[in-house]
Amino acid sequence: MPEITIDSYIILSTTLFIIGALGVLLRRNAIIVFMSIEMMLNAANLLFVAFSRHLGDIDGQVLVFFVITVAAAEVAVGLALIVAIFRTKKNIDIDTLNLMKG
Amino acid sequence: MGNTFVFMLLAAIAVGSAIGMLVSRDAVHSALFLVLNFITIAVFYLVLNAPFIAMVQVTVYAGAIMVLFMFVIMLLGAERLRGVWSDRTGEMVFAAFLGFLLLVIFLIALVMGNGDAVATAGMIDTSPVALGLRLFEAYIFPFEVVGILLLAAMIGVVILTISNKRGKNA
Amino acid sequence: MNAFGLAPLLLIFPVIGVLFNGFVGRQFVDADRKTGEKWSGWFGTMMAFGAFAVAVSLFLSLQAHDYHAEVVYILDWINIPSANFSVPWAMRIDTLSVTMMLVVTGVGTLIHIYAIGYMHGDQDFSRFFAYMNLFLFFMLILVSGSSYLMLFVGWEGVGLCSFLLIGFWFDRVDKNGVWKNANAARKAFVVNRIGDFGMVLAIILTFWAFGSLEFDPVFGTALEMFESGEPLFLFGQEIAFGTVITVITALFLLGATGKSAQIPLYVWLPDAMAGPTPVSALIHAATMVTSGIYLIVRSNVLFEMARLSIGDEMLFGVITTPDLVALVGASTALLAGLIAFTQFDIKGVLAYSTISQLGFMIAAVGMGAYVAGMFHLIMHAFFKALLFMSAGSVIHGMEHGHHHLHDHGDDDFDPQDMRTMGGLRHRMKITSVVYIIGALALAGIVPFAGFWSKDEILAHASANDSWVFTAVYVMLVFAAFSTAFYMGRQLKMVFFSKPRHDAAAHAEESSNLMTYPLIALAGLAVLGGLSNLPHFVKVEQAAHGEAVAHAAPDTFAFGLNYLGLEHWLEHSLDAFELTEEHILHMPHTPTNIQWFVAISSTVLAIFALSLAFFVVYRKKPETAQDPDPLQKTPIWWFSVLPLNTLYMSYFIPAFNRMAKWLAFSFDWTFWHDFVHDRLIRDMFVSFADFTSSVIDQKGVDGIVNGAASATRQLSGLLRRTESGYVRSYALSIFMGAVLLVIYFLFTTAG
């Protein structure tokens, strides 16, 4: 059985990140997009913690702490935005939200 | 950095739930898959000797954020949408390609990577005490800023959702 | 005194006159007729008189300087050092040119004064005086030039002025609708041109043979070449010097026949009488027509050398040029004299008389009697100008008389027709007196001027033995006879006999402005002969072999001691040494009076005059419609002018056709239509079109607008990226992120 090194975590984290990125790019539902963003953040967090363990530095975990906090704030605001959009547009299909079209 | 078997299992669950979130038609299902993903990540944290972070993950992410998500999904009735995927095919393909490309690049980078990787360091003290000390000593300034950020977020949320019509359901 | 520096003034005065009358004279005349005419006319006259004063001063300077020729250099004209060709503007002041200058300016001034009166009331008063001064300018260039080229400039110039002045009233149409004046002017110019052709060829040959065009170098070189006897070479062919000289002088003769109205180029002079009378007096009696004689006298060295050519060197191997000159002159004199019998126009008689007298002069210089020729030239200037001006006075008188008649119904009235005149000696006393004096002078009655000069020519002709000279003598005698005859006829018709028309009966004397110059000229006609009286007492004949008589420059008959024309001129007529054998060929001019010739010619002249009086208007009563008694004689055949007919029927139609062709097809169709309109204008327009539409509109605008539209298109393209879809933006961010990852992973890390 191969040893689990930092490489494994890198691959895993990258995979999760890409899945999250694909979700942002491919899904129509704004909420799903948002959730995918959260997934991306999580992937990054995972890598941070992995490296913190790998390098023996606790700063990685401190950073994750901050990220989680900011993510929470961001989710709150983002969802409030979606609610506000929903009030006017009555749907959250991002393919129809193109008022800023040039 | 952990038992191989455990890692594999957890990795499979994480990726599987991620993909499930990606492809679910129903938003609620996506949210639930995401919750599973988050919990899996929390277990990973435990494996990686970060107990406090793991607990924070479960509390904030899986507990608060996803609940909030659920609330909004229910509120907006966004379980079902007409279409799932974007109808801009070209972009979809391109995005998929980019994603794949990125994965490939990382793999290549890993394979080509340095042979003299730093060996895993020994276990360190990652108790909440240590984390807290670190936080309040070295990172006090960001800590305060984040606090202000939270405050701003709260205010922003209130303003964004305030309705001119009193009593009307938002 | 030394007035040679003043010589350019001789030319400048007339130029000032031209400028004044040409530019401002008209304003004076238009403003106030009376004073304007005074200003314009007297200004021109003063300029002529100024030139005369300069000529007098030059005359005195020459006297003080031992009669040596002086060349006054004015400025450089043509200077080609590599071809050794240099012709400057320079004036040659020697006795010959001063003689001509005095005649031209002196008689010219008198004629100017006359013209002020004659041209009174004319529309183009000041233009006339401008042209007259211009003529003086060119004539003075002709006589004072120091080179053949300058002479030719004057030659052409007087031809031009002749054209301008003959055709002065160019818009006058006679009763048949013919533009008589314009045609006459054109005829004069065209015929002159033929002579000018000869002149140009002669000048070219002169330069080729002698390497220069100035008189002194030419004559000097000619003498050297004559003495050395070497031939010249043309395209490798050897040409004897004598042949060259013969050809050159023959071409000069051609030029002279054009200007001096000899056979065959005399046809222009009778027509030239269409011009105003002062023009006829100045140009066609006194000055321009004498330029041919001046030319030959100036080139006497060349002509004397040509006289000595023998055998093949002669013209067509038959006759030497000077002999030809003499024969041409004599035959012209006779022919013209006979034609004059048949003329009814008062000026026509005088015109043919001029041609005849010019023939005398040409014959004289052809025989080598240069002094005699010049003498006759001067005398002729006096009495011919006098005659013409008096004729003008008569014409004016007739017109006045015609005006005063109560019935002007006679539109056919020609004031110049002698048949309508008669008895004018009672009505126009001064005019008739001076006219009679002039006529007697012309006829050669002693002691008037014409006698002495004509006599000298006849004497010269009789004193030498070649068949040419004898023929010339006979012809000239007949010509002299006819001169007297036609003058007598004219006198009888005009002044004596009864008036045949009411206009003549009411004719009036002309103004003082016209009669005073007449009186002055009459005085000159009477006394002119004194300038070259022959020796009445036999003096030792000058040694043979001298081209010009070199008699002792002092005593004359009656013990008077003054300078005669002969001695005056001999300083200009180059004498040259000859070898023994040539001596025998040179004609010598007798300086003693030849009694036989003198008496016989006088008797003949008186006989002719009386015959004329007898023949003309014998029957009484006389009417204008009386046929001329001469019509019954063969003389009348001379009224048909063969050369004139040739000119009219052959030359004029061809000339008109060519002129029409030049005007329509060449000038209009080719030059205007094709070259101007199609070629230049259309090319220009299409070029402008091209520039505006292609270059400007499409090109420049295209670039400018194209830049703008390209920008717009580009922005249109780029706008697509702003799809409004967040997703697309996210995609691009993702793409950027991937690229960054690639960059960092593979460049910085290992």
Side-chain angles (χ1 to χ4, degrees), chain A residues 86-102:
Chain A
F86 185 79
R87 278 206 207 132
T88 46
K89 300 279 283 189
K90 293 297 186 265
N91 81 6
I92 47 172
D93 183 348
I94 62 172
D95 278 350
T96 62
L97 305 175
N98 61 352
L99 280 178
M100 289 286 276
K101 186 178 166 82

Side-chain angles (χ1 to χ4, degrees), chain A residues 5-6 49-57, chain B residues 1 48 117-122:
Chain A
T5 62
I6 188 65
V49 171
F51 266 100
S52 162
R53 167 72 180 85
H54 179 71
L55 297 175
D57 194 348
Chain B
M1 286 193 9
L48 289 170
V118 178
T120 309

Side-chain angles (χ1 to χ4, degrees), chain B:
Chain B
M1 286 193 9
N3 197 318
T4 308
F5 174 72
V6 170
F7 176 86
M8 284 300 175
L9 180 67
L10 286 174
I13 297 173
V15 173
S17 61
I19 292 175
M21 179 217 82
L22 189 63
V23 300
S24 292
R25 181 171 284 277
D26 195 330
V28 176
H29 293 168
S30 290
L32 288 174
F33 273 120
L34 195 59
V35 169
L36 178 61
N37 190 42
F38 286 165
I39 292 174
T40 313
I41 301 290
V43 174
F44 264 116
Y45 289 161
L46 283 172
V47 168
L48 289 170
N49 196 24
F52 180 67
I53 299 297
M55 289 305 118
V56 168
Q57 168 92 354
V58 172
T59 314
V60 172
Y61 252 115
I65 288 175
M66 289 322 294
V67 169
L68 195 57
F69 264 108
M70 277 295 201
F71 270 145
V72 173
I73 289 171
M74 296 302 175
L75 183 66
L76 300 185
E79 312 86 85
R80 283 176 293 277
L81 276 181
R82 275 155 299 291
V84 171
W85 301 105
S86 156
D87 52 3
R88 289 156 75 85
T89 323
E91 284 185 359
M92 274 173 55
V93 170
F94 187 51
F97 163 72
L98 275 180
F100 183 68
L101 179 70
L102 195 58
L103 183 63
V104 163
I105 283 163
F106 265 101
L107 286 173
I108 292 172
L110 272 182
V111 167
M112 276 172 46
N114 44 344
D116 48 357
V118 178
T120 309
M123 298 286 263
I124 55 168
D125 184 9
T126 58
S127 64
V129 173
L131 198 60
L133 277 173
R134 190 83 181 124
L135 190 62
F136 285 109
E137 281 172 0
Y139 294 96
I140 184 67
F141 181 63
F143 182 82
E144 299 296 333
V145 171
V146 166
I148 295 173
L149 183 71
L150 284 169
L151 177 65
M154 272 198 289
I155 296 173
V157 167
V158 170
I159 289 176
L160 277 171
T161 52
I162 228 175
S163 165
N164 282 333
K165 300 188 181 82
R166 301 254 168 200
K168 191 75 162 64
N169 198 6

Side-chain angles (χ1 to χ4, degrees), chain A residues 17 21 24-28 94-95 97-98 100-102, chain C residues 719-720 722-732 734:
Chain A
F17 184 86
V24 167
L25 296 171
L26 298 178
R27 289 300 298 257
R28 277 173 97 151
I94 62 172
D95 278 350
L97 305 175
N98 61 352
M100 289 286 276
K101 186 178 166 82
Chain C
R719 193 163 25 93
R720 304 251 178 92
E722 301 284 319
S723 62
Y725 294 126
V726 180
R727 178 205 321 289
S728 312
Y729 305 154
L731 181 60
S732 16
F734 187 51

Side-chain angles (χ1 to χ4, degrees), chain C residues 164-195:
Chain C
L164 291 172
L165 283 164
I166 295 174
F168 186 71
W169 293 312
F170 53 82
D171 42 10
R172 277 202 195 171
V173 177
D174 75 358
K175 55 187 187 297
N176 295 327
V178 175
W179 301 56
K180 244 183 59 172
N181 297 38
N183 284 348
R186 177 180 66 179
K187 192 171 180 176
F189 217 172
V190 167
V191 176
N192 256 225
R193 217 73 196 102
I194 302 173

Side-chain angles (χ1 to χ4, degrees), chain C residues 219-243:
Chain C
F219 299 144
T221 316
L223 275 173
E224 278 168 23
M225 293 173 78
F226 178 74
E227 310 228 311
S228 70
E230 276 171 22
L232 290 113
F233 290 91
L234 179 65
F235 308 126
Q237 288 274 46
E238 195 181 279
I239 304 183
F241 180 72
T243 318

Side-chain angles (χ1 to χ4, degrees), chain C residues 688-747:
Chain C
D689 277 347
F690 175 74
T691 323
S692 88
S693 58
V694 174
I695 294 181
D696 191 44
Q697 280 179 347
K698 296 207 188 91
V700 175
D701 285 1
I703 291 174
V704 171
N705 290 345
S709 62
T711 312
R712 189 162 1 104
Q713 276 164 3
L714 186 64
S715 78
L717 275 172
L718 289 176
R719 193 163 25 93
R720 304 251 178 92
T721 57
E722 301 284 319
S723 62
Y725 294 126
V726 180
R727 178 205 321 289
S728 312
Y729 305 154
L731 181 60
S732 16
I733 294 172
F734 187 51
M735 187 174 73
V738 167
L739 288 171
L740 275 173
V741 162
I742 295 172
Y743 174 71
F744 281 121
L745 269 182
F746 292 112
T747 55

